[in-house]
Amino acid sequence: NFGINMIVGKGLLICNKRNWYKIFTIIQLTLIAGLRAESVGLDTHTYIDYFNHLDGAINMAEAIRKLSWVEPGYVLLNYVVYRVSENAQILLFLCAAIINILSVDFIFENSQSPCWGIFFLFSFPFFYDSMCFIRTSLASAIFLFSLRYVKRKQFVRYVIAIFIGATFHIMSLLCLPLYFVNKIKWRRRRNIVIFVLFDIIVFRYILQLRDFIMWILGRGNSDVYSGINYWIGQNSGGWKTAIFFGLFFICAYYFYYSKRKNSADENLLAGYAFCLPLCAFLFPTAQIMIRFMILFMPIFGVFLSNEITSIKNYNNRLMMKGFYFSLGLAFQIYTISNNALGFVPYVPFWK
């Protein structure tokens, strides 16, 4: 599918049909995600069960009562679809359309090389996970849309967008402070010190931090999140996850300081890319951390695709493309062979 997208995209870009390429990509991704069967995607059946819980709901108040554990914005979306049709496939298609319209639009608005921006969207967790963590992905897509208000310095609109995103997943509220990322004067040595201090604080006070974050998110205390040995990512291997994000931080640190451009937009994206691992270390469980990583993947995609186009030397640019393509292919192979998210085999809903 990415091969088809790349070929069609290159042809349309050569013909100066950038908007047609964007429309083609949105349709392609939406069809793949929206026409999947219930068996495709780890949590797809869960969201279909949510939808089926609305059976007999005659108004929005009753719908909220039936899905009291789900954010109201997502309940409203379910209820509107339910009033039109009791077919849950329409809901999956609509969610896929919203996610892909907003995320692809973000890529095309910010990436100098949309083909590579879409490659990062395709080949790394965002697109795959959008078929599992639907509420998180809806909130993430709205967050990507809200970044235009950061560029325009429209704080009130940014806050409104974040709160709309929070009606789909409460995690969106954690993005409120990110409005001020571009105002921070990053200093190399100071940032390393801050990063290490955060690390130590999180390790020392993880249980208290866990309870505090769960309280903010309205989740209460849960034994699922206990265990000092799992201070990062209980559900993803604990220390292995910590090491992974440590390496991720080093990569983000390198890109931010050695590849940063002079334009405000580039600096903004660089700042967000740098914040990803820094923020990830603040969250005690893989469940929260993975969702935060999903939220940032399109930003990394734009940033890295712009880095590719900025390389003047042809051989170096070709080598960098080969490296990222190999990395994406390796991730695809791992995802398919591991099949932890349940995408193999891909089955359309009519079979």
Side-chain angles (χ1 to χ4, degrees), residues 48 51-52 78 81-93 349:
I48 291 178
F51 182 79
N52 292 333
N78 276 255
V81 173
Y82 178 78
R83 298 300 296 177
V84 174
S85 171
E86 297 182 11
N87 186 353
Q89 199 66 44
I90 296 176
L91 176 68
L92 294 181
F93 193 90
F349 76 91

Side-chain angles (χ1 to χ4, degrees), residues 1-20:
N1 272 290
F2 173 70
I4 294 172
N5 186 275
M6 180 71 82
I7 293 170
V8 173
K10 286 291 186 182
L12 290 173
L13 289 175
I14 290 173
C15 298
N16 200 26
K17 302 292 185 180
R18 187 181 175 98
N19 285 336
W20 283 107

Side-chain angles (χ1 to χ4, degrees), residues 185-334:
K185 302 296 183 182
W186 300 106
R187 306 291 183 186
R188 296 191 184 202
R189 293 181 180 177
R190 185 182 67 185
N191 285 348
I192 292 178
V193 172
I194 291 173
F195 183 76
V196 173
L197 286 176
F198 274 152
D199 232 0
I200 294 173
I201 292 171
V202 168
F203 180 75
R204 177 64 181 83
Y205 297 103
I206 185 59
L207 297 181
Q208 294 89 335
L209 180 63
R210 175 206 71 197
D211 293 341
F212 179 67
I213 293 175
M214 292 302 109
W215 176 74
I216 289 178
L217 298 181
R219 297 290 189 252
N221 298 332
S222 174
D223 293 336
V224 174
Y225 304 108
S226 64
I228 196 72
N229 292 327
Y230 297 106
W231 63 280
I232 277 191
Q234 178 175 6
N235 299 329
S236 290
W239 289 105
K240 289 185 288 185
T241 308
I243 293 171
F244 169 76
F245 274 94
L247 295 173
F248 210 23
F249 172 79
I250 293 171
C251 293
Y253 182 88
Y254 167 77
F255 275 114
Y256 183 74
Y257 287 110
S258 66
K259 303 290 185 181
R260 202 172 74 158
K261 302 295 184 297
N262 294 323
S263 72
D265 288 354
E266 287 289 335
N267 286 340
L268 175 66
L269 292 174
Y272 276 97
F274 181 79
C275 275
L276 168 57
L278 191 64
C279 291
F281 268 95
L282 297 178
F283 301 119
T285 72
Q287 290 183 337
I288 300 176
M289 192 165 56
I290 288 172
R291 283 159 174 76
F292 218 70
M293 183 178 73
I294 293 169
L295 180 139
F296 273 90
M297 289 312 298
I299 297 174
F300 257 98
V302 167
F303 188 60
L304 295 179
S305 65
N306 289 347
E307 293 308 315
I308 291 175
T309 59
S310 70
I311 300 174
K312 303 300 181 183
N313 183 281
Y314 174 79
N315 291 329
N316 291 343
R317 187 167 64 251
L318 188 64
M319 184 172 64
M320 188 62 72
K321 288 181 178 180
F323 170 75
Y324 285 129
F325 186 81
S326 300
L327 198 63
L329 185 61
F331 182 82
Q332 293 276 354
I333 294 172
Y334 170 78

Side-chain angles (χ1 to χ4, degrees), residues 51-71:
F51 182 79
N52 292 333
H53 263 82
L54 294 180
D55 185 34
I58 59 175
N59 53 47
M60 183 59 188
E62 188 171 351
I64 291 177
R65 182 182 61 80
K66 286 177 173 287
L67 291 175
S68 59
W69 62 93
V70 180
E71 288 83 355

